[in-house]
mmCIF file of all heavy atoms in Angstrom:
data_model
loop_
_atom_site.group_PDB
_atom_site.id
_atom_site.type_symbol
_atom_site.label_atom_id
_atom_site.label_comp_id
_atom_site.label_asym_id
_atom_site.label_seq_id
_atom_site.Cartn_x
_atom_site.Cartn_y
_atom_site.Cartn_z
ATOM 1 N N VAL A 108 -6.723 -17.018 14.230
ATOM 2 C CA VAL A 108 -7.827 -16.282 13.612
ATOM 3 C C VAL A 108 -9.153 -16.612 14.279
ATOM 4 O O VAL A 108 -10.072 -15.784 14.290
ATOM 5 C CB VAL A 108 -7.912 -16.536 12.089
ATOM 6 C CG1 VAL A 108 -6.650 -16.054 11.398
ATOM 7 C CG2 VAL A 108 -8.178 -17.994 11.767
ATOM 8 N N ASP A 109 -9.277 -17.803 14.877
ATOM 9 C CA ASP A 109 -10.510 -18.155 15.583
ATOM 10 C C ASP A 109 -10.760 -17.220 16.752
ATOM 11 O O ASP A 109 -11.910 -16.926 17.101
ATOM 12 C CB ASP A 109 -10.455 -19.603 16.082
ATOM 13 C CG ASP A 109 -10.628 -20.613 14.951
ATOM 14 O OD1 ASP A 109 -11.069 -20.196 13.854
ATOM 15 O OD2 ASP A 109 -10.321 -21.800 15.162
ATOM 16 N N ASP A 110 -9.679 -16.758 17.378
ATOM 17 C CA ASP A 110 -9.793 -15.860 18.538
ATOM 18 C C ASP A 110 -9.703 -14.384 18.151
ATOM 19 O O ASP A 110 -9.781 -13.509 19.022
ATOM 20 C CB ASP A 110 -8.681 -16.172 19.549
ATOM 21 C CG ASP A 110 -8.816 -17.568 20.143
ATOM 22 O OD1 ASP A 110 -9.961 -18.057 20.226
ATOM 23 O OD2 ASP A 110 -7.788 -18.172 20.501
ATOM 24 N N ALA A 111 -9.525 -14.113 16.862
ATOM 25 C CA ALA A 111 -9.345 -12.732 16.396
ATOM 26 C C ALA A 111 -10.687 -12.078 16.084
ATOM 27 O O ALA A 111 -11.674 -12.762 15.812
ATOM 28 C CB ALA A 111 -8.454 -12.722 15.154
ATOM 29 N N PRO A 112 -10.738 -10.758 16.102
ATOM 30 C CA PRO A 112 -11.975 -10.060 15.738
ATOM 31 C C PRO A 112 -12.217 -10.127 14.236
ATOM 32 O O PRO A 112 -11.295 -10.371 13.455
ATOM 33 C CB PRO A 112 -11.707 -8.617 16.171
ATOM 34 C CG PRO A 112 -10.218 -8.485 16.065
ATOM 35 C CD PRO A 112 -9.663 -9.820 16.460
ATOM 36 N N ASP A 113 -13.441 -9.914 13.827
ATOM 37 C CA ASP A 113 -13.734 -9.771 12.404
ATOM 38 C C ASP A 113 -13.140 -8.451 11.909
ATOM 39 O O ASP A 113 -12.984 -7.496 12.683
ATOM 40 C CB ASP A 113 -15.247 -9.775 12.165
ATOM 41 C CG ASP A 113 -15.595 -9.717 10.679
ATOM 42 O OD1 ASP A 113 -15.541 -10.764 10.021
ATOM 43 O OD2 ASP A 113 -15.893 -8.612 10.171
ATOM 44 N N PHE A 114 -12.803 -8.411 10.641
ATOM 45 C CA PHE A 114 -12.264 -7.188 10.038
ATOM 46 C C PHE A 114 -13.185 -5.994 10.302
ATOM 47 O O PHE A 114 -12.735 -4.848 10.393
ATOM 48 C CB PHE A 114 -12.084 -7.401 8.532
ATOM 49 C CG PHE A 114 -11.360 -6.285 7.835
ATOM 50 C CD1 PHE A 114 -9.971 -6.237 7.809
ATOM 51 C CD2 PHE A 114 -12.060 -5.274 7.196
ATOM 52 C CE1 PHE A 114 -9.306 -5.198 7.172
ATOM 53 C CE2 PHE A 114 -11.403 -4.238 6.551
ATOM 54 C CZ PHE A 114 -10.023 -4.206 6.548
ATOM 55 N N ASN A 115 -14.463 -6.266 10.440
ATOM 56 C CA ASN A 115 -15.459 -5.219 10.698
ATOM 57 C C ASN A 115 -15.071 -4.364 11.908
ATOM 58 O O ASN A 115 -15.331 -3.159 11.931
ATOM 59 C CB ASN A 115 -16.820 -5.882 10.931
ATOM 60 C CG ASN A 115 -17.965 -4.981 10.530
ATOM 61 O OD1 ASN A 115 -17.800 -4.090 9.709
ATOM 62 N ND2 ASN A 115 -19.118 -5.196 11.108
ATOM 63 N N GLN A 116 -14.439 -4.990 12.896
ATOM 64 C CA GLN A 116 -14.127 -4.287 14.135
ATOM 65 C C GLN A 116 -12.894 -3.398 14.040
ATOM 66 O O GLN A 116 -12.651 -2.582 14.943
ATOM 67 C CB GLN A 116 -13.964 -5.304 15.264
ATOM 68 C CG GLN A 116 -15.236 -6.067 15.572
ATOM 69 C CD GLN A 116 -15.077 -7.008 16.750
ATOM 70 O OE1 GLN A 116 -14.399 -6.690 17.738
ATOM 71 N NE2 GLN A 116 -15.684 -8.177 16.669
ATOM 72 N N ILE A 117 -12.115 -3.546 12.983
ATOM 73 C CA ILE A 117 -10.929 -2.683 12.854
ATOM 74 C C ILE A 117 -11.087 -1.644 11.746
ATOM 75 O O ILE A 117 -10.160 -0.872 11.493
ATOM 76 C CB ILE A 117 -9.649 -3.510 12.616
ATOM 77 C CG1 ILE A 117 -9.608 -4.082 11.192
ATOM 78 C CG2 ILE A 117 -9.487 -4.599 13.662
ATOM 79 C CD1 ILE A 117 -8.212 -4.449 10.722
ATOM 80 N N ILE A 118 -12.236 -1.619 11.085
ATOM 81 C CA ILE A 118 -12.422 -0.673 9.985
ATOM 82 C C ILE A 118 -12.234 0.769 10.457
ATOM 83 O O ILE A 118 -11.514 1.553 9.825
ATOM 84 C CB ILE A 118 -13.797 -0.849 9.317
ATOM 85 C CG1 ILE A 118 -13.866 -2.194 8.595
ATOM 86 C CG2 ILE A 118 -14.068 0.298 8.330
ATOM 87 C CD1 ILE A 118 -15.225 -2.513 8.001
ATOM 88 N N GLU A 119 -12.863 1.120 11.573
ATOM 89 C CA GLU A 119 -12.769 2.506 12.047
ATOM 90 C C GLU A 119 -11.333 2.898 12.411
ATOM 91 O O GLU A 119 -10.835 3.929 11.914
ATOM 92 C CB GLU A 119 -13.699 2.740 13.228
ATOM 93 C CG GLU A 119 -13.730 4.196 13.680
ATOM 94 C CD GLU A 119 -14.824 4.480 14.691
ATOM 95 O OE1 GLU A 119 -15.543 3.544 15.081
ATOM 96 O OE2 GLU A 119 -14.979 5.659 15.073
ATOM 97 N N PRO A 120 -10.621 2.127 13.255
ATOM 98 C CA PRO A 120 -9.236 2.527 13.557
ATOM 99 C C PRO A 120 -8.312 2.444 12.340
ATOM 100 O O PRO A 120 -7.361 3.222 12.236
ATOM 101 C CB PRO A 120 -8.804 1.545 14.648
ATOM 102 C CG PRO A 120 -9.748 0.400 14.557
ATOM 103 C CD PRO A 120 -11.035 0.972 14.079
ATOM 104 N N LEU A 121 -8.590 1.530 11.415
ATOM 105 C CA LEU A 121 -7.777 1.440 10.205
ATOM 106 C C LEU A 121 -7.935 2.688 9.362
ATOM 107 O O LEU A 121 -6.937 3.308 8.947
ATOM 108 C CB LEU A 121 -8.168 0.198 9.402
ATOM 109 C CG LEU A 121 -7.556 0.067 8.002
ATOM 110 C CD1 LEU A 121 -6.037 0.019 8.077
ATOM 111 C CD2 LEU A 121 -8.098 -1.173 7.296
#
Side-chain angles (χ1 to χ4, degrees):
V108 298
D109 286 345
D110 295 331
D113 184 80
F114 188 84
N115 208 24
Q116 296 184 38
I117 73 159
I118 293 175
E119 185 170 2
L121 171 60

